[in-house]
Amino acid sequence: MNRFKLVKTMLMNAPVSLTMAVVAQVMSLILGHISVLNIGEMALSFVVSYLFACVIGYFIPTDRWGMAFAKKCGAQPGSVKYDILVNLVVNTFFCVVMTIFMTWFSLCVRGHAPLQAVPGGFLEMILPVWVCCFIVSFFTQRPAIRMAKKICGIA
């Protein structure tokens, strides 16, 4: 097991999973699916999405895909353009997969809705989730990597 990769994945996914949980609750409130914010449901969504995101982040090389894309676009590592392009790939993959999974979990598992409800729920949530998670992950990416290196004793 790659300790650095595990620590980095755990640190990167905490703020993104929290963002997803908050955005989903707020969007459900705005869309009239719920009448009040439910902190318990938000906390459950955070825990489930965090665990699932950590599994995805550890086993699927989205960061390598993002770095390859950024290099192909001519961005230099360490530049803002590079970070944006890497984040574009990683965030898009994560948001699509996580929004499908969390929509299924919330509607079908928790709400007992039929599977046919997932595409509509996904379409309602994907844009606000993607935008908010892109912003959060862009600003937390470098600090999370620095913190993971420090925790793992990597110079």
Side-chain angles (χ1 to χ4, degrees):
M1 178 178 286
N2 183 329
R3 183 173 179 238
F4 171 73
K5 185 176 183 179
L6 179 63
V7 171
K8 179 187 79 159
T9 298
M10 292 174 71
L11 292 172
M12 297 273 303
N13 285 314
V16 174
S17 293
L18 181 59
T19 301
M20 289 186 82
V22 171
V23 170
Q25 275 282 311
V26 170
M27 286 304 299
S28 292
L29 184 65
I30 289 169
L31 294 168
H33 299 311
I34 59 173
S35 56
V36 294
L37 292 177
N38 184 325
I39 301 300
E41 287 294 322
M42 197 181 313
L44 178 63
S45 290
F46 166 73
V47 170
V48 171
S49 70
Y50 179 68
L51 294 173
F52 188 61
C54 285
V55 169
I56 290 171
Y58 189 81
F59 291 105
I60 299 178
T62 56
D63 51 348
R64 284 192 306 200
W65 299 343
M67 290 184 284
F69 176 70
K71 287 178 185 173
K72 189 173 186 171
C73 292
Q76 296 299 314
S79 69
V80 173
K81 179 181 177 182
Y82 184 86
D83 289 350
I84 289 171
L85 292 171
V86 170
N87 193 29
L88 181 67
V89 172
V90 174
N91 186 64
T92 299
F93 180 85
F94 265 85
C95 283
V96 168
V97 171
M98 292 302 298
T99 302
I100 291 169
F101 176 77
M102 290 308 296
T103 300
W104 168 79
F105 179 78
S106 297
L107 294 179
C108 300
V109 175
R110 300 279 298 148
H112 307 292
L115 193 57
Q116 295 88 334
V118 173
F122 171 81
L123 291 174
E124 286 181 339
M125 293 294 170
I126 189 62
L127 185 60
V129 165
W130 186 89
V131 169
C132 293
C133 287
F134 183 88
I135 293 166
V136 168
S137 61
F138 178 75
F139 287 109
T140 59
Q141 176 183 2
R142 283 189 188 208
I145 292 170
R146 279 195 304 270
M147 194 180 304
K149 285 181 178 180
K150 187 174 183 178
I151 290 168
C152 295
I154 299 172

